[in-house]
Amino acid sequence: MSLIMAWGTFTLRGELNRALDEFRSALYLRPDSPYANNDIGLVLTKMGRLDEAVDHLNAAIRILPNFPTAHYNLGNALLQKGQTNDAIKEFEHELALQPDHAPARCNLAIALLNQGQLNQSNCPIRKKRSSCGLTMRKPITVWEIAI
């Protein structure tokens, strides 16, 4: 089964253990696959197994340093772990590779807000307003960021 089919078949049906088995089989066959490591990391994040997820996402990035999806997924896992400063770095790296990725802009804004670092001048949503479809008002509110 292809990784894409496994993702669609198992994760969308909530069968995360089966998806994890498929991705681990793929990684066994191709231990140098950044994609299998990324997918394993994503499933582990969904399962709440964040330490393992971070390990696999870091492995994906070691293999393919400019893999924007892995940086984005790592940022999300780190944010869930409460490692907000590290999450911010990952979202910023992902946006350097993929500047129009609206979800990364929104998650970066949330991470900056969590750190008390978000303001009108550094808001990633404001910088690329058209990609998020969001507007900024004064003062910025959590609701505006989370839309």
Side-chain angles (χ1 to χ4, degrees):
M1 174 175 289
S2 77
L3 292 181
I4 294 170
M5 286 180 63
W7 183 256
T9 301
F10 300 128
T11 57
L12 295 177
R13 290 193 319 215
E15 298 178 31
L16 298 178
N17 286 319
R18 286 190 66 190
L20 189 58
D21 290 344
E22 290 293 325
F23 296 140
R24 284 192 168 146
S25 294
L27 187 61
Y28 178 79
L29 296 173
R30 296 256 341 251
D32 62 339
S33 171
Y35 308 104
N37 274 296
N38 177 72
D39 291 341
I40 290 169
L42 188 54
V43 171
L44 289 168
T45 299
K46 287 182 179 292
M47 297 172 86
R49 294 165 55 181
L50 299 175
D51 290 333
E52 293 173 84
V54 167
D55 290 343
H56 279 280
L57 294 165
N58 277 320
I61 292 167
R62 272 192 305 280
I63 297 164
L64 187 61
N66 290 329
F67 184 8
T69 304
H71 285 283
Y72 174 72
N73 291 334
L74 179 56
N76 287 329
L78 291 168
L79 194 58
Q80 287 184 41
K81 283 186 70 165
Q83 296 178 352
T84 308
N85 287 330
D86 292 331
I88 289 169
K89 291 175 190 170
E90 293 305 322
F91 293 134
E92 288 174 340
H93 192 135
E94 196 270 349
L95 287 167
L97 299 169
Q98 235 173 232
D100 291 327
H101 189 223
R105 289 195 170 283
C106 293
N107 289 356
L108 175 57
I110 291 167
L112 290 168
L113 181 68
N114 288 345
Q115 291 298 93
Q117 299 174 17
L118 185 67
N119 58 54
Q120 292 289 325
S121 65
N122 76 347
C123 182
I125 295 171
R126 184 179 181 92
K127 291 178 184 175
K128 278 291 202 176
R129 189 173 11 201
S130 62
S131 70
C132 286
L134 301 177
T135 58
M136 296 292 296
R137 295 174 188 82
K138 293 181 184 177
I140 188 167
T141 65
V142 176
W143 176 252
E144 289 173 310
I145 292 171
I147 302 175

